[in-house]
Amino acid sequence: MSDEHITLGIETSCDETGIGIFSNKRGLLAHKLFSQVDIHAEYGGVVPELASRDHIRKITPLIKECLADINLNLRNISGIGYTAGPGLSGALLVGGSVAQSLAWSLNIPSIGIHHMEGHLLSPLLDEKNKPELPFIALLVSGGHTLLVDVERIGQYKILGESLDDAVGEAFDKTAKILGLGYPGGPALAKLAKEGSSETYSFPRPMIDRPNLDFSFSGLKTFARNTFLDNSDKKADIAKAFELAAVDILKIKCQKALEKTGRKSLVISGGVSANLSLREELDKMGEYSGVKIFYPKHEFCTDNGAMIALAASIRLSHGQLDNHYEINIKPRWNLETLSAV
Ligand code: KG4
Ligand code: ZN
């Protein structure tokens, strides 16, 4: 196909090795993921050194498998994107080193991608239901809770963020308190289905404030204190926690939409897989006339497809890294990116 550019995307910022191959003409061609959940489960959280070591083990086999699935080889790749940050430095270095070495040896351009930009753009992987710019993005993952005004790709204004725990982190910590293991978000959501919404009412910190910042660490503390006195009420506690977390996110989204007048809302990141959150936001969208977009379920949590997509867009606008430098950014402010 003429003018076709095929981009390889590599995600290694945390505990998932993700590879994606994206064509500017045909969309997503292949993607593979290896989740390290079992490796970290016995420690109750991600062990950075173990994460790096496992990315090293998995990264080349996954790239090979992706290429084999679509009958391509490395020579067909015309650009490479890798997650440069934010994330665990050792883990980021694995993806960055492999990406830059491959790009240098193939003499093709490469670019470091912001992990949260990957999440933010992930609903664009759905060719049939792409959000149109401008939109508000609610980014909810294990490390971040951000409300972002997206005027155009790369031009991100942070309207609000969590002042303490990210919402995914609060799900994980509350799940740990209830003895649900790691990662706790999906387990807590599952248990909440069996709980009653009548037993407890958790606080909704900061919802009366005019600003769009969040606070979730109080919810976790409230869950701990409730659990200490009522250890037989796990499902009801899970339910009350989930209701409060979802309510807080919904109220702040509503305020962000009112403040900016935007008519589209994108929700992405690991917690966007949460069905109660989707239900509540869909309802809000219906009565307020706002269109709501989510990534497909498999692209809610970390993956390589979203990195391949973001890299494809940036490379097609002539953006690229200089001289194949391995320039990772474990801390990286989304607002400092350049617009395309
Ligand atoms: O985006 P992600 O895969 O990794 C980060 O960039 O952090 O998000 C992982 C987070 C974890 O905190 C996990 O518990 C949470 O997303 N999560 C959920 C659900 N599925 C994943 N939280 C609530 N409900 C879910 N169904
Ligand atoms: Zn993520």
Side-chain angles (χ1 to χ4, degrees):
M1 209 180 282
S2 64
D3 293 336
E4 183 174 37
H5 291 285
I6 295 179
T7 306
L8 172 69
I10 298 177
E11 156 64 39
T12 63
S13 66
C14 190
D15 59 348
E16 247 111 30
T17 318
I19 304 296
I21 300 181
F22 186 87
S23 155
N24 62 330
K25 297 283 178 197
R26 292 181 286 154
L28 186 67
L29 303 179
H31 77 101
K32 296 262 174 203
L33 189 74
F34 181 82
S35 168
Q36 303 177 356
V37 161
D38 293 344
I39 295 170
H40 303 290
E42 63 176 296
Y43 304 97
V46 179
V47 184
E49 178 61 23
L50 295 183
S52 315
R53 285 189 220 169
D54 202 62
H55 286 309
I56 290 177
R57 262 182 234 121
K58 296 296 174 346
I59 194 163
T60 10
L62 284 177
I63 295 174
K64 279 187 188 165
E65 282 175 33
C66 273
L67 288 168
D69 275 4
I70 48 174
N71 285 319
L72 294 183
N73 61 55
L74 282 174
R75 296 270 160 217
N76 301 116
I77 301 292
S78 43
I80 302 187
Y82 61 96
T83 304
L88 304 168
S89 7
L92 293 167
L93 276 171
V94 176
S97 307
V98 170
Q100 297 295 42
S101 312
L102 270 179
W104 191 11
S105 62
L106 294 165
N107 195 25
I108 56 175
S110 60
I111 184 160
I113 296 295
H114 193 294
H115 180 78
M116 298 314 287
E117 176 172 68
H119 278 305
L120 191 152
L121 299 177
S122 60
L124 295 172
L125 287 164
D126 188 348
E127 300 285 337
K128 292 193 201 88
N129 189 28
K130 280 190 194 178
E132 274 175 31
L133 292 153
F135 56 72
I136 297 293
L138 172 69
L139 306 180
V140 278
S141 72
H144 297 86
T145 310
L146 296 172
L147 259 172
V148 186
D149 187 26
V150 183
E151 176 89 42
R152 45 198 275 223
I153 292 178
Q155 192 177 321
Y156 306 127
K157 185 168 185 292
I158 296 177
L159 302 172
E161 61 193 316
S162 180
L163 303 178
D164 40 54
D165 291 351
V167 62
E169 187 180 358
F171 266 89
D172 292 338
K173 287 179 174 170
T174 302
K176 202 168 180 179
I177 291 165
L178 301 179
L180 301 179
Y182 159 89
L188 188 138
K190 195 168 164 220
L191 183 65
K193 277 198 201 130
E194 296 160 26
S196 158
S197 55
E198 308 293 319
T199 319
Y200 303 111
S201 177
F202 277 34
R204 270 85 167 140
M206 307 197 40
I207 55 166
D208 297 328
R209 307 242 184 114
N211 71 35
L212 297 169
D213 290 331
F214 306 85
S215 167
F216 289 102
S217 72
L219 281 189
K220 164 202 71 193
T221 311
F222 204 85
R224 180 183 292 117
N225 293 339
T226 312
F227 182 61
L228 284 177
D229 297 329
N230 307 277
S231 57
D232 57 332
K233 294 269 192 242
K234 277 188 193 183
D236 293 350
I237 295 170
K239 182 77 181 177
F241 169 88
E242 189 181 56
L243 278 174
V246 166
D247 208 27
I248 295 165
L249 293 172
K250 186 188 76 178
I251 291 167
K252 295 285 175 171
C253 282
Q254 223 166 351
K255 286 190 179 171
L257 291 161
E258 280 161 16
K259 198 168 168 174
T260 57
R262 303 286 191 223
K263 288 287 166 211
S264 297
L265 175 66
V266 159
I267 302 111
S268 54
V271 183
S272 70
N274 186 283
L275 293 179
S276 307
L277 178 66
R278 288 184 175 216
E279 259 171 44
E280 282 304 310
L281 290 174
D282 284 344
K283 267 191 244 162
M284 190 256 287
E286 256 168 52
Y287 66 67
S288 55
V290 169
K291 282 180 94 176
I292 316 277
F293 299 89
Y294 310 93
K296 283 187 181 162
H297 215 76
E298 60 191 322
F299 302 130
C300 287
T301 46
D302 293 349
N303 65 84
M306 66 185 193
I307 303 303
L309 167 75
S312 172
I313 295 172
R314 288 193 172 274
L315 290 171
S316 73
H317 285 83
Q319 298 189 359
L320 71 167
D321 284 357
N322 282 326
H323 310 301
Y324 305 116
E325 275 169 18
I326 300 163
N327 190 9
I328 57 146
K329 297 167 188 155
R331 298 172 70 85
W332 189 2
N333 183 343
L334 191 63
E335 286 187 334
T336 62
L337 303 193
S338 49
V340 298

